[in-house]
Amino acid sequence: MTAAANWVANGASLEDCHSNLFSLAELTGIKWRRYNFEGHGDCGPIISAPAQDDPILLSFIRCLQANLLCVWRRDVKPDCKELWIFWWGDEPNLVDVIHRELHRIKSAIPV
């Protein structure tokens, strides 16, 4: 097999990507939690707010510093965000990581 066989249009491949969950662990072992901001209904502060003023982004930064696999995303409602945290095995201690104004969204799938 030549090096060109693994080439992709953008010069990267999923084999080298740390966000490819399927390469990192068996799918049935993945556990997660999902959080949103309680302060303004189900929405957090406006998307353009500075990270230090946004509970979702602040918690995201803390997760990265704690080496937790995480992602924040915009919700379907305008200006709403949510934080997803993923792990395998024992549940991580999230007390000092998750902002006090965030609350856990209960999943329909048992975690």
Side-chain angles (χ1 to χ4, degrees):
M1 179 184 265
T2 66
N6 288 330
W7 183 82
V8 193
N10 66 1
S13 84
L14 287 178
E15 290 84 16
D16 298 326
C17 182
H18 293 287
S19 64
N20 185 351
L21 296 176
F22 301 108
S23 293
L24 294 175
E26 82 177 58
L27 187 57
T28 57
I30 297 172
K31 299 174 187 169
W32 69 90
R33 283 211 178 154
R34 194 171 129 211
Y35 293 89
N36 69 5
F37 182 66
E38 292 183 327
H40 301 103
D42 288 336
C43 295
I46 297 172
I47 298 265
S48 61
Q52 66 268 20
D53 296 338
D54 187 314
I56 293 284
L57 297 180
L58 182 59
S59 297
F60 174 74
I61 291 167
R62 290 176 183 168
C63 286
L64 293 177
Q65 291 170 340
N67 291 321
L68 294 170
L69 184 59
C70 61
V71 64
W72 73 269
R73 72 176 194 108
R74 293 180 187 187
D75 200 350
V76 293
K77 301 172 202 165
D79 295 331
C80 293
K81 296 182 289 299
E82 58 187 25
L83 175 69
W84 290 66
I85 301 172
F86 303 92
W87 71 90
W88 296 267
D90 296 335
E91 183 176 336
N93 182 358
L94 300 174
V95 173
D96 294 329
V97 177
I98 300 301
H99 192 280
R100 66 184 177 349
E101 294 183 85
L102 297 184
H103 76 280
R104 182 177 172 190
I105 302 170
K106 299 293 182 182
S107 175
I109 302 171
V111 178

